[in-house]
Every structure is written in C-alpha cells, then in structure tokens.
Amino acid sequence: MPVLSGAEPFSHDGSDDIGVLLCHGFTSTPQSMRAWGEHLAAEGCTVRCPLLPGHGTRWPDLNRTTWHDWYRAAEAELAELRGRCSSVFVFGQSMGGTLTLRLAQEHPDIAGIVLVNPSVLTQRRAARLLPLLSRVWPAAGGIPGDIAKPGGFELAYQRLPLRAMASLQQLWGVVRADLGRIRQPVLLFRSAVDHVVEPVNAATVLEGVRSEDLTEVVLADSFHVATLDHDAPRVFSGSVEFLQRIHRDRVEELV
C-alpha cells in the first residue's frame, strides 16, 4: 500500500560523532517526530526515524504485524547508526518509548535514551479482555491527536487495530521484566495530563531501571503527543543538552 503523505521516514546524515534513532508511537508515523528530528539535524546529529511496519498506510495493515516486526525495523536502523557514529542515542514516544527501552535492554552500548510518555502497561479493565477480543474484533476507536495545543495534528490511524494492540501488550510484559537491565543514562519526559498513557507507566520505568543518570521532567502544558504540543521546544532542547553532555563525558573518558 502507498504511504500516506507526511508519514514518510525521516533521515539526515550529519556528524559521525552523534547519531539518534527516533521511534514513533503506536498507530502513529514519523510525522509526530519530524520536528524533533529536524531540530537534532540542525544541531549536527545524524538522525534516523523509520516508518514502522504496518504504520502509515491503512489500519488493517497494522493487524498483520507484531511487535517483533516493529522492533526488527528499529534495530536495523540502530545497527546502521552504530556502524557510523561513536555515540548512538535512541529517543522514543509512547510505544516508541517501549521499543527504546527494549533496544537499551538488548544493546548496552547505546549511549543514552530519551523517553516521552513511554508505555509499559495499562490499568484499564478492558485490556484484560484484549487477547480474546482481538481474535473476534479487528479494531476499536482510535487514540490519535491527544494534543493540548490548538490546531495540533497527529497523522495517525483513526482506528485501534486490536490484534496489533494485543501484540504491544506482550511487548510491555517483556520490557517490564527486563527493566533492571537498563543502566544507560535516561531522560524521561512525562505529561502532567495524558489521556492515553497513565502516570503509572513513567513511575514503573523510573523505579525499574538501574541507571545512575536518571532524570524525570514533567510537562505541564502538553497532553500525550508532547512532540507536537506546547512543550515540544522544551523536549527538543532538553534532549540536545542531554546527548551533548553524555557524548562529551564519553569522549573525556577516552582521553
């Protein structure tokens, strides 16, 4: 299927010093990460933001994929960056944050990670029925566009593919079980009001990782899709300060 206009992957070849992999959210597209990627590119970073399998076309396509497909696509981009740049970071929003955590668990050489409203669980009662519902019902109401900023728009599916959602639920369990493997520096942005991901998600991540360099930033003026919201400049500048500091420390250790 043709990719929706605006959903195309983003790529920029910059410095061989710092590379950043951006991971978008569930049912979303690189459109939600493009401004962040452009900010990083302007700072000289090499940037990759893939369109994850099943996304950016039609929602039934997402039901034909699993979390393994999304993870492999992200991991392939990570491998390319690791072969090129001396310090590689992974940044993710929502499910992109879930994938970021899994990549950090599997690849301890990642220099650091930045998370924006990452998801690792849900306390919604309906989620308990998801494995059963996903077998008989293909989709439910969508979750796009949770943005406080007037006129804010997220290019994402208007429907929630349930089989794919059940697979994401499986990924959550895998990631939660291995949070203690994460020791890289972590910068976590959490929206004070988020209608998609409950606050317990950030708390679970912060309590579970074993990173000594661990910072939480609460975004007071944004909803779930913070990279397209009022606090986007704060996310962008904070992430640049984070990666520049980490890269500088890594270089000094080698001198």
Short mmCIF file of all heavy atoms in Angstrom, two decimals, residues 38-101:
data_model
loop_
_atom_site.label_atom_id
_atom_site.label_comp_id
_atom_site.label_asym_id
_atom_site.label_seq_id
_atom_site.Cartn_x
_atom_site.Cartn_y
_atom_site.Cartn_z
N GLU A 38 14.26 17.26 12.90
CA GLU A 38 14.83 18.42 12.23
C GLU A 38 15.64 19.28 13.20
O GLU A 38 16.68 19.84 12.84
CB GLU A 38 13.72 19.24 11.58
CG GLU A 38 13.08 18.53 10.39
CD GLU A 38 11.88 19.26 9.84
OE1 GLU A 38 11.40 20.20 10.51
OE2 GLU A 38 11.41 18.89 8.75
N HIS A 39 15.19 19.35 14.44
CA HIS A 39 15.94 20.08 15.47
C HIS A 39 17.28 19.40 15.73
O HIS A 39 18.32 20.07 15.83
CB HIS A 39 15.12 20.15 16.76
CG HIS A 39 15.75 20.97 17.84
ND1 HIS A 39 15.48 22.32 18.01
CD2 HIS A 39 16.66 20.65 18.80
CE1 HIS A 39 16.18 22.78 19.03
NE2 HIS A 39 16.91 21.79 19.53
N LEU A 40 17.27 18.09 15.83
CA LEU A 40 18.51 17.35 16.05
C LEU A 40 19.45 17.48 14.85
O LEU A 40 20.67 17.63 15.01
CB LEU A 40 18.19 15.87 16.29
CG LEU A 40 17.43 15.56 17.59
CD1 LEU A 40 16.84 14.15 17.53
CD2 LEU A 40 18.33 15.71 18.80
N ALA A 41 18.88 17.45 13.65
CA ALA A 41 19.70 17.59 12.45
C ALA A 41 20.35 18.97 12.41
O ALA A 41 21.52 19.11 12.02
CB ALA A 41 18.84 17.37 11.21
N ALA A 42 19.61 19.99 12.83
CA ALA A 42 20.16 21.34 12.84
C ALA A 42 21.31 21.47 13.83
O ALA A 42 22.17 22.35 13.68
CB ALA A 42 19.05 22.34 13.18
N GLU A 43 21.34 20.59 14.83
CA GLU A 43 22.42 20.58 15.81
C GLU A 43 23.60 19.72 15.33
O GLU A 43 24.56 19.54 16.07
CB GLU A 43 21.92 20.06 17.15
CG GLU A 43 20.91 20.97 17.83
CD GLU A 43 21.55 22.26 18.34
OE1 GLU A 43 22.77 22.26 18.59
OE2 GLU A 43 20.81 23.26 18.49
N GLY A 44 23.49 19.18 14.13
CA GLY A 44 24.59 18.42 13.55
C GLY A 44 24.52 16.92 13.74
O GLY A 44 25.43 16.20 13.32
N CYS A 45 23.46 16.42 14.36
CA CYS A 45 23.34 14.99 14.61
C CYS A 45 22.97 14.24 13.33
O CYS A 45 22.29 14.77 12.45
CB CYS A 45 22.27 14.71 15.66
SG CYS A 45 22.55 15.48 17.27
N THR A 46 23.41 13.00 13.25
CA THR A 46 22.89 12.08 12.24
C THR A 46 21.62 11.47 12.80
O THR A 46 21.59 11.01 13.94
CB THR A 46 23.94 10.99 11.92
OG1 THR A 46 25.04 11.59 11.22
CG2 THR A 46 23.35 9.89 11.07
N VAL A 47 20.55 11.49 12.02
CA VAL A 47 19.23 11.11 12.53
C VAL A 47 18.57 10.09 11.61
O VAL A 47 18.64 10.19 10.39
CB VAL A 47 18.32 12.36 12.64
CG1 VAL A 47 16.96 11.97 13.24
CG2 VAL A 47 18.98 13.45 13.48
N ARG A 48 17.90 9.11 12.24
CA ARG A 48 17.09 8.15 11.52
C ARG A 48 15.74 8.03 12.23
O ARG A 48 15.68 7.84 13.44
CB ARG A 48 17.75 6.76 11.48
CG ARG A 48 19.11 6.74 10.80
CD ARG A 48 18.99 6.91 9.30
NE ARG A 48 20.28 6.78 8.64
CZ ARG A 48 21.11 7.81 8.38
NH1 ARG A 48 20.76 9.04 8.75
NH2 ARG A 48 22.25 7.59 7.77
N CYS A 49 14.66 8.15 11.45
CA CYS A 49 13.32 7.94 12.01
C CYS A 49 12.54 7.08 11.02
O CYS A 49 11.95 7.59 10.06
CB CYS A 49 12.61 9.27 12.24
SG CYS A 49 10.97 9.08 13.00
N PRO A 50 12.54 5.77 11.21
CA PRO A 50 11.85 4.87 10.27
C PRO A 50 10.34 4.89 10.44
O PRO A 50 9.82 5.23 11.51
CB PRO A 50 12.41 3.49 10.65
CG PRO A 50 12.71 3.63 12.12
CD PRO A 50 13.19 5.04 12.31
N LEU A 51 9.65 4.56 9.37
CA LEU A 51 8.22 4.27 9.45
C LEU A 51 8.09 2.80 9.83
O LEU A 51 8.50 1.92 9.07
CB LEU A 51 7.55 4.54 8.10
CG LEU A 51 6.07 4.16 7.98
CD1 LEU A 51 5.22 4.98 8.94
CD2 LEU A 51 5.59 4.33 6.54
N LEU A 52 7.56 2.53 10.99
CA LEU A 52 7.50 1.15 11.49
C LEU A 52 6.49 0.33 10.69
O LEU A 52 5.47 0.85 10.22
CB LEU A 52 7.14 1.15 12.97
CG LEU A 52 8.14 1.88 13.88
CD1 LEU A 52 7.63 1.93 15.32
CD2 LEU A 52 9.52 1.23 13.81
N PRO A 53 6.76 -0.97 10.51
CA PRO A 53 5.87 -1.83 9.71
C PRO A 53 4.41 -1.75 10.15
O PRO A 53 4.11 -1.71 11.35
CB PRO A 53 6.45 -3.23 9.96
CG PRO A 53 7.89 -2.99 10.22
CD PRO A 53 7.94 -1.70 11.00
N GLY A 54 3.52 -1.71 9.17
CA GLY A 54 2.09 -1.66 9.43
C GLY A 54 1.54 -0.27 9.67
O GLY A 54 0.32 -0.08 9.76
N HIS A 55 2.41 0.71 9.77
CA HIS A 55 2.00 2.08 10.05
C HIS A 55 2.02 2.93 8.77
O HIS A 55 2.71 2.60 7.81
CB HIS A 55 2.93 2.71 11.09
CG HIS A 55 2.84 2.09 12.45
ND1 HIS A 55 3.44 0.89 12.75
CD2 HIS A 55 2.23 2.51 13.58
CE1 HIS A 55 3.20 0.59 14.03
NE2 HIS A 55 2.46 1.56 14.55
N GLY A 56 1.28 4.02 8.79
CA GLY A 56 1.34 4.99 7.72
C GLY A 56 0.67 4.59 6.43
O GLY A 56 0.90 5.23 5.40
N THR A 57 -0.16 3.58 6.45
CA THR A 57 -0.88 3.16 5.23
C THR A 57 -2.38 3.06 5.55
O THR A 57 -3.10 4.04 5.46
CB THR A 57 -0.33 1.82 4.70
OG1 THR A 57 -0.34 0.84 5.76
CG2 THR A 57 1.09 1.98 4.20
N ARG A 58 -2.84 1.85 5.95
CA ARG A 58 -4.22 1.63 6.39
C ARG A 58 -4.18 0.82 7.69
O ARG A 58 -3.31 -0.04 7.84
CB ARG A 58 -5.02 0.86 5.35
CG ARG A 58 -5.07 1.45 3.95
CD ARG A 58 -5.86 0.52 3.03
NE ARG A 58 -5.39 -0.86 3.17
CZ ARG A 58 -6.15 -1.94 2.99
NH1 ARG A 58 -7.43 -1.81 2.72
NH2 ARG A 58 -5.64 -3.16 3.12
N TRP A 59 -5.13 1.08 8.57
CA TRP A 59 -5.07 0.42 9.86
C TRP A 59 -5.09 -1.11 9.78
O TRP A 59 -4.45 -1.77 10.61
CB TRP A 59 -6.17 0.94 10.81
CG TRP A 59 -7.58 0.60 10.46
CD1 TRP A 59 -8.50 1.39 9.85
CD2 TRP A 59 -8.26 -0.64 10.73
NE1 TRP A 59 -9.70 0.74 9.71
CE2 TRP A 59 -9.58 -0.52 10.25
CE3 TRP A 59 -7.87 -1.84 11.32
CZ2 TRP A 59 -10.52 -1.55 10.33
CZ3 TRP A 59 -8.80 -2.88 11.41
CH2 TRP A 59 -10.10 -2.72 10.92
N PRO A 60 -5.78 -1.75 8.82
CA PRO A 60 -5.73 -3.22 8.78
C PRO A 60 -4.31 -3.75 8.57
O PRO A 60 -4.01 -4.88 8.98
CB PRO A 60 -6.64 -3.58 7.60
CG PRO A 60 -7.60 -2.44 7.50
CD PRO A 60 -6.76 -1.23 7.82
N ASP A 61 -3.44 -2.94 7.93
CA ASP A 61 -2.07 -3.39 7.72
C ASP A 61 -1.33 -3.60 9.04
O ASP A 61 -0.46 -4.46 9.15
CB ASP A 61 -1.30 -2.37 6.87
CG ASP A 61 -1.86 -2.27 5.46
OD1 ASP A 61 -2.46 -3.24 4.99
OD2 ASP A 61 -1.69 -1.20 4.84
N LEU A 62 -1.69 -2.82 10.04
CA LEU A 62 -1.02 -2.94 11.34
C LEU A 62 -1.38 -4.26 12.02
O LEU A 62 -0.56 -4.85 12.72
CB LEU A 62 -1.40 -1.75 12.24
CG LEU A 62 -0.62 -1.58 13.54
CD1 LEU A 62 0.88 -1.65 13.33
CD2 LEU A 62 -0.99 -0.25 14.21
N ASN A 63 -2.59 -4.75 11.78
CA ASN A 63 -3.00 -6.03 12.36
C ASN A 63 -2.25 -7.21 11.76
O ASN A 63 -2.32 -8.32 12.30
CB ASN A 63 -4.52 -6.23 12.16
CG ASN A 63 -5.33 -5.75 13.34
OD1 ASN A 63 -4.81 -5.63 14.45
ND2 ASN A 63 -6.61 -5.47 13.11
N ARG A 64 -1.57 -6.99 10.66
CA ARG A 64 -0.79 -8.06 10.03
C ARG A 64 0.65 -8.09 10.54
O ARG A 64 1.46 -8.88 10.05
CB ARG A 64 -0.81 -7.88 8.51
CG ARG A 64 -2.19 -7.92 7.90
CD ARG A 64 -2.14 -7.87 6.37
NE ARG A 64 -3.48 -7.87 5.81
CZ ARG A 64 -4.13 -6.77 5.42
NH1 ARG A 64 -3.53 -5.58 5.52
NH2 ARG A 64 -5.35 -6.85 4.91
N THR A 65 0.95 -7.25 11.50
CA THR A 65 2.30 -7.19 12.07
C THR A 65 2.26 -7.48 13.56
O THR A 65 1.19 -7.51 14.18
CB THR A 65 2.94 -5.80 11.85
OG1 THR A 65 2.22 -4.81 12.62
CG2 THR A 65 2.90 -5.40 10.38
N THR A 66 3.44 -7.69 14.14
CA THR A 66 3.58 -7.87 15.59
C THR A 66 4.71 -6.98 16.10
O THR A 66 5.42 -6.36 15.31
CB THR A 66 3.91 -9.33 15.95
OG1 THR A 66 5.27 -9.62 15.54
CG2 THR A 66 2.94 -10.30 15.29
N TRP A 67 4.90 -6.98 17.40
CA TRP A 67 5.94 -6.13 17.97
C TRP A 67 7.32 -6.55 17.49
O TRP A 67 8.23 -5.72 17.42
CB TRP A 67 5.87 -6.12 19.49
CG TRP A 67 6.35 -7.34 20.23
CD1 TRP A 67 5.61 -8.37 20.71
CD2 TRP A 67 7.72 -7.64 20.60
NE1 TRP A 67 6.41 -9.29 21.36
CE2 TRP A 67 7.70 -8.87 21.32
CE3 TRP A 67 8.94 -7.00 20.42
CZ2 TRP A 67 8.86 -9.45 21.83
CZ3 TRP A 67 10.09 -7.58 20.92
CH2 TRP A 67 10.05 -8.79 21.62
N HIS A 68 7.46 -7.81 17.13
CA HIS A 68 8.75 -8.28 16.61
C HIS A 68 9.10 -7.57 15.31
O HIS A 68 10.27 -7.24 15.06
CB HIS A 68 8.72 -9.79 16.39
CG HIS A 68 8.49 -10.58 17.64
ND1 HIS A 68 9.49 -10.84 18.54
CD2 HIS A 68 7.35 -11.14 18.13
CE1 HIS A 68 8.99 -11.55 19.55
NE2 HIS A 68 7.71 -11.74 19.32
N ASP A 69 8.11 -7.30 14.48
CA ASP A 69 8.34 -6.58 13.22
C ASP A 69 8.77 -5.15 13.50
O ASP A 69 9.70 -4.63 12.86
CB ASP A 69 7.07 -6.58 12.37
CG ASP A 69 6.61 -7.98 11.99
OD1 ASP A 69 7.43 -8.74 11.45
OD2 ASP A 69 5.44 -8.30 12.24
N TRP A 70 8.09 -4.48 14.43
CA TRP A 70 8.44 -3.09 14.75
C TRP A 70 9.85 -3.02 15.35
O TRP A 70 10.64 -2.14 15.00
CB TRP A 70 7.42 -2.51 15.73
CG TRP A 70 6.00 -2.85 15.42
CD1 TRP A 70 5.44 -3.02 14.17
CD2 TRP A 70 4.95 -3.10 16.37
NE1 TRP A 70 4.11 -3.35 14.29
CE2 TRP A 70 3.78 -3.40 15.61
CE3 TRP A 70 4.87 -3.07 17.76
CZ2 TRP A 70 2.56 -3.69 16.24
CZ3 TRP A 70 3.67 -3.36 18.38
CH2 TRP A 70 2.53 -3.67 17.62
N TYR A 71 10.12 -3.98 16.23
CA TYR A 71 11.43 -3.99 16.88
C TYR A 71 12.55 -4.25 15.87
O TYR A 71 13.59 -3.57 15.90
CB TYR A 71 11.46 -5.05 17.98
CG TYR A 71 12.80 -5.12 18.69
CD1 TYR A 71 13.12 -4.20 19.68
CD2 TYR A 71 13.74 -6.09 18.36
CE1 TYR A 71 14.34 -4.24 20.33
CE2 TYR A 71 14.97 -6.13 19.00
CZ TYR A 71 15.26 -5.21 19.98
OH TYR A 71 16.49 -5.24 20.60
N ARG A 72 12.36 -5.20 14.98
CA ARG A 72 13.40 -5.51 14.00
C ARG A 72 13.68 -4.31 13.08
O ARG A 72 14.84 -4.05 12.72
CB ARG A 72 13.01 -6.73 13.17
CG ARG A 72 13.23 -8.06 13.88
CD ARG A 72 13.13 -9.22 12.91
NE ARG A 72 11.78 -9.38 12.38
CZ ARG A 72 10.87 -10.21 12.91
NH1 ARG A 72 11.17 -10.93 13.97
NH2 ARG A 72 9.67 -10.32 12.36
N ALA A 73 12.63 -3.58 12.72
CA ALA A 73 12.82 -2.40 11.88
C ALA A 73 13.63 -1.34 12.61
O ALA A 73 14.54 -0.71 12.02
CB ALA A 73 11.47 -1.84 11.45
N ALA A 74 13.32 -1.12 13.87
CA ALA A 74 14.07 -0.14 14.66
C ALA A 74 15.51 -0.60 14.88
O ALA A 74 16.46 0.19 14.80
CB ALA A 74 13.38 0.10 16.00
N GLU A 75 15.68 -1.88 15.14
CA GLU A 75 17.01 -2.43 15.39
C GLU A 75 17.89 -2.34 14.16
O GLU A 75 19.11 -2.11 14.27
CB GLU A 75 16.89 -3.87 15.88
CG GLU A 75 18.19 -4.44 16.42
CD GLU A 75 18.01 -5.83 16.98
OE1 GLU A 75 17.30 -6.64 16.36
OE2 GLU A 75 18.57 -6.11 18.06
N ALA A 76 17.31 -2.50 12.98
CA ALA A 76 18.08 -2.39 11.74
C ALA A 76 18.63 -0.97 11.57
O ALA A 76 19.79 -0.77 11.17
CB ALA A 76 17.22 -2.76 10.55
N GLU A 77 17.81 0.03 11.89
CA GLU A 77 18.27 1.42 11.82
C GLU A 77 19.34 1.69 12.87
O GLU A 77 20.31 2.41 12.63
CB GLU A 77 17.09 2.37 12.00
CG GLU A 77 16.03 2.27 10.93
CD GLU A 77 16.49 2.84 9.59
OE1 GLU A 77 17.48 3.59 9.56
OE2 GLU A 77 15.86 2.51 8.57
N LEU A 78 19.16 1.08 14.05
CA LEU A 78 20.15 1.23 15.10
C LEU A 78 21.50 0.66 14.67
O LEU A 78 22.55 1.27 14.91
CB LEU A 78 19.67 0.53 16.37
CG LEU A 78 20.66 0.50 17.54
CD1 LEU A 78 20.92 1.90 18.07
CD2 LEU A 78 20.12 -0.40 18.66
N ALA A 79 21.47 -0.49 14.02
CA ALA A 79 22.71 -1.12 13.57
C ALA A 79 23.47 -0.22 12.60
O ALA A 79 24.70 -0.10 12.67
CB ALA A 79 22.41 -2.46 12.92
N GLU A 80 22.73 0.44 11.71
CA GLU A 80 23.37 1.35 10.76
C GLU A 80 24.02 2.52 11.48
O GLU A 80 25.14 2.92 11.16
CB GLU A 80 22.32 1.83 9.74
CG GLU A 80 22.92 2.53 8.53
CD GLU A 80 22.98 4.03 8.70
OE1 GLU A 80 22.17 4.57 9.48
OE2 GLU A 80 23.82 4.67 8.05
N LEU A 81 23.34 3.07 12.46
CA LEU A 81 23.89 4.19 13.22
C LEU A 81 25.10 3.76 14.06
O LEU A 81 26.08 4.50 14.16
CB LEU A 81 22.82 4.78 14.14
CG LEU A 81 21.74 5.65 13.49
CD1 LEU A 81 20.68 6.03 14.51
CD2 LEU A 81 22.36 6.91 12.88
N ARG A 82 25.02 2.57 14.64
CA ARG A 82 26.14 2.08 15.46
C ARG A 82 27.39 1.88 14.63
O ARG A 82 28.51 2.01 15.13
CB ARG A 82 25.75 0.78 16.16
CG ARG A 82 24.69 0.95 17.24
CD ARG A 82 24.10 -0.37 17.65
NE ARG A 82 25.03 -1.19 18.41
CZ ARG A 82 25.00 -2.51 18.46
NH1 ARG A 82 24.08 -3.18 17.76
NH2 ARG A 82 25.86 -3.18 19.19
N GLY A 83 27.22 1.55 13.35
CA GLY A 83 28.37 1.37 12.47
C GLY A 83 28.95 2.67 11.98
O GLY A 83 30.04 2.69 11.40
N ARG A 84 28.23 3.74 12.21
CA ARG A 84 28.66 5.05 11.68
C ARG A 84 29.09 6.03 12.76
O ARG A 84 30.06 6.76 12.58
CB ARG A 84 27.51 5.65 10.87
CG ARG A 84 27.75 7.07 10.42
CD ARG A 84 26.59 7.63 9.62
NE ARG A 84 26.90 9.00 9.24
CZ ARG A 84 26.66 9.52 8.06
NH1 ARG A 84 26.14 8.76 7.11
NH2 ARG A 84 26.95 10.78 7.80
N CYS A 85 28.37 6.10 13.87
CA CYS A 85 28.57 7.15 14.87
C CYS A 85 29.19 6.59 16.15
O CYS A 85 28.92 5.46 16.55
CB CYS A 85 27.23 7.82 15.20
SG CYS A 85 26.42 8.58 13.77
N SER A 86 29.99 7.42 16.80
CA SER A 86 30.68 6.97 18.02
C SER A 86 29.77 6.95 19.23
O SER A 86 29.97 6.15 20.14
CB SER A 86 31.90 7.87 18.28
OG SER A 86 31.52 9.24 18.38
N SER A 87 28.77 7.81 19.27
CA SER A 87 27.79 7.81 20.36
C SER A 87 26.40 7.75 19.75
O SER A 87 26.00 8.65 19.00
CB SER A 87 27.90 9.08 21.22
OG SER A 87 29.11 9.12 21.94
N VAL A 88 25.66 6.69 20.06
CA VAL A 88 24.33 6.50 19.47
C VAL A 88 23.29 6.54 20.58
O VAL A 88 23.40 5.85 21.60
CB VAL A 88 24.24 5.17 18.71
CG1 VAL A 88 22.83 4.95 18.18
CG2 VAL A 88 25.24 5.16 17.56
N PHE A 89 22.25 7.35 20.35
CA PHE A 89 21.15 7.51 21.29
C PHE A 89 19.86 7.04 20.64
O PHE A 89 19.73 7.05 19.42
CB PHE A 89 21.00 8.98 21.69
CG PHE A 89 22.20 9.55 22.41
CD1 PHE A 89 23.32 9.97 21.71
CD2 PHE A 89 22.20 9.68 23.79
CE1 PHE A 89 24.43 10.49 22.37
CE2 PHE A 89 23.30 10.20 24.46
CZ PHE A 89 24.42 10.61 23.75
N VAL A 90 18.91 6.64 21.47
CA VAL A 90 17.59 6.26 20.98
C VAL A 90 16.55 7.08 21.74
O VAL A 90 16.57 7.14 22.97
CB VAL A 90 17.31 4.76 21.15
CG1 VAL A 90 15.97 4.41 20.49
CG2 VAL A 90 18.43 3.92 20.54
N PHE A 91 15.68 7.75 20.98
CA PHE A 91 14.61 8.56 21.55
C PHE A 91 13.28 7.97 21.09
O PHE A 91 13.10 7.65 19.92
CB PHE A 91 14.68 10.01 21.06
CG PHE A 91 15.92 10.77 21.43
CD1 PHE A 91 16.11 12.06 20.95
CD2 PHE A 91 16.90 10.23 22.25
CE1 PHE A 91 17.24 12.79 21.27
CE2 PHE A 91 18.05 10.96 22.59
CZ PHE A 91 18.21 12.24 22.10
N GLY A 92 12.29 7.87 22.00
CA GLY A 92 11.02 7.31 21.62
C GLY A 92 9.85 7.92 22.35
O GLY A 92 9.98 8.33 23.51
N GLN A 93 8.71 7.96 21.67
CA GLN A 93 7.48 8.49 22.25
C GLN A 93 6.42 7.40 22.30
O GLN A 93 6.22 6.68 21.32
CB GLN A 93 6.98 9.66 21.41
CG GLN A 93 5.68 10.30 21.92
CD GLN A 93 5.38 11.62 21.24
OE1 GLN A 93 5.40 12.66 21.89
NE2 GLN A 93 5.12 11.60 19.95
N SER A 94 5.78 7.25 23.47
CA SER A 94 4.70 6.28 23.66
C SER A 94 5.21 4.86 23.35
O SER A 94 6.16 4.41 23.99
CB SER A 94 3.51 6.66 22.79
OG SER A 94 2.36 5.94 23.16
N MET A 95 4.62 4.14 22.37
CA MET A 95 5.16 2.83 22.03
C MET A 95 6.60 2.94 21.54
O MET A 95 7.40 2.00 21.72
CB MET A 95 4.32 2.15 20.96
CG MET A 95 4.85 0.77 20.54
SD MET A 95 4.17 0.15 18.99
CE MET A 95 5.08 1.13 17.79
N GLY A 96 6.94 4.07 20.92
CA GLY A 96 8.34 4.29 20.54
C GLY A 96 9.24 4.26 21.76
O GLY A 96 10.40 3.83 21.68
N GLY A 97 8.71 4.71 22.90
CA GLY A 97 9.46 4.61 24.14
C GLY A 97 9.60 3.17 24.60
O GLY A 97 10.64 2.78 25.16
N THR A 98 8.57 2.36 24.37
CA THR A 98 8.65 0.94 24.69
C THR A 98 9.75 0.26 23.90
O THR A 98 10.57 -0.50 24.43
CB THR A 98 7.30 0.25 24.39
OG1 THR A 98 6.22 1.09 24.75
CG2 THR A 98 7.20 -1.07 25.13
N LEU A 99 9.78 0.55 22.60
CA LEU A 99 10.83 0.00 21.73
C LEU A 99 12.20 0.51 22.15
O LEU A 99 13.19 -0.24 22.13
CB LEU A 99 10.55 0.36 20.28
CG LEU A 99 9.32 -0.28 19.64
CD1 LEU A 99 9.05 0.33 18.27
CD2 LEU A 99 9.49 -1.79 19.52
N THR A 100 12.27 1.77 22.55
CA THR A 100 13.53 2.35 23.01
C THR A 100 14.06 1.60 24.22
O THR A 100 15.25 1.28 24.32
CB THR A 100 13.34 3.84 23.34
OG1 THR A 100 12.98 4.55 22.15
CG2 THR A 100 14.60 4.45 23.93
N LEU A 101 13.17 1.31 25.16
CA LEU A 101 13.58 0.57 26.35
C LEU A 101 14.08 -0.82 25.98
O LEU A 101 15.09 -1.29 26.52
CB LEU A 101 12.40 0.45 27.32
CG LEU A 101 11.98 1.75 28.02
CD1 LEU A 101 10.59 1.62 28.63
CD2 LEU A 101 13.00 2.14 29.09
#
